[in-house]
Amino acid sequence: MTDNLFYQRVMWMVAGGEPYYEAFRQAYNENPRWHRDPDMVVSYRFPTLFWIWAALPAKPLSIVLGMTLMGTLAIVAGAWLAAQRAHLAFAVPVAAVLAGYMLAPTISNGMLSMEPWAVPLGIVAVALTTRSLGNPRPISWRKWLTAGVVFAIAATLIRETMGYVILAGLVASLFAEP
């Protein structure tokens, strides 16, 4: 059973009313590769995205539309970040790379993976946070920074490894000039 099928099984069980952790454990047990209970806490994923998928109406169309929205978000935020912080000429290659990254899950049937849903939120978090650095008005930069933190937390609630975006932001704040 691939990860995509495994996540799909968990999603349908949660959509059917099964509590997330029980659904995850049961699907983990049903997977011929593992055929046992998850043995460590890191074997689990956060339930956030499974709850979102389960709540979406008209599946799988809503999942495809969600992926399209997330891809668009990543491309726009990445191109904007490149244009603002590097040079306008970098915006097109960045957009092309992000378009390729976001297209891969749709081609490989990986739309039910955590990363294509979390990474765009992480890119937006970085874009908003860096936007706050160049703003001289205290109230305005706080709004940009707060929005960036909210997106970083949302990304982390989908994929725990996105917590490194928050850690990187904290480290960067030590070196940022006022």
Side-chain angles (χ1 to χ4, degrees), residues 27 82 132 159:
S132 73
R159 183 68 165 125

Side-chain angles (χ1 to χ4, degrees), residues 45-133:
R45 297 290 171 255
F46 285 155
T48 313
L49 194 52
F50 292 97
W51 291 335
I52 292 169
W53 288 334
L56 288 174
K59 288 180 267 308
L61 177 62
S62 58
I63 291 174
V64 171
L65 292 176
M67 277 295 301
T68 303
L69 175 67
M70 297 307 282
T72 303
L73 192 63
I75 292 165
V76 169
W80 180 73
L81 180 61
Q84 293 294 313
R85 288 296 171 189
H87 191 275
L88 185 58
F90 287 116
V92 173
V94 165
V97 167
L98 289 171
Y101 173 79
M102 294 307 296
L103 185 62
T106 60
I107 293 170
S108 67
N109 197 20
M111 286 190 278
L112 295 182
S113 295
M114 307 294 118
E115 288 77 10
W117 294 82
V119 168
L121 298 175
I123 293 169
V124 171
V126 171
L128 292 172
T129 303
T130 58
R131 174 69 176 108
S132 73
L133 297 176

Side-chain angles (χ1 to χ4, degrees), residues 1-23:
M1 183 184 298
T2 65
D3 282 353
N4 195 58
L5 290 174
F6 170 71
Y7 292 149
Q8 184 179 22
R9 174 80 174 121
V10 175
M11 176 195 66
W12 287 116
M13 291 170 74
V14 170
E18 188 80 31
Y20 167 73
Y21 287 104
E22 179 55 32

Side-chain angles (χ1 to χ4, degrees), residues 35-49:
H35 201 58
R36 58 181 164 74
D37 283 350
D39 55 353
M40 311 182 259
V41 72
V42 294
S43 298
Y44 284 93
R45 297 290 171 255
F46 285 155
T48 313
L49 194 52

Side-chain angles (χ1 to χ4, degrees), residues 45-49 114 117-119 121-122 125 148-167:
R45 297 290 171 255
F46 285 155
T48 313
L49 194 52
M114 307 294 118
W117 294 82
V119 168
L121 298 175
V149 169
V150 167
F151 272 89
I153 291 170
T156 304
L157 288 173
I158 290 174
R159 183 68 165 125
E160 65 282 356
T161 55
M162 292 301 289
Y164 290 114
V165 172
I166 297 171
L167 181 61

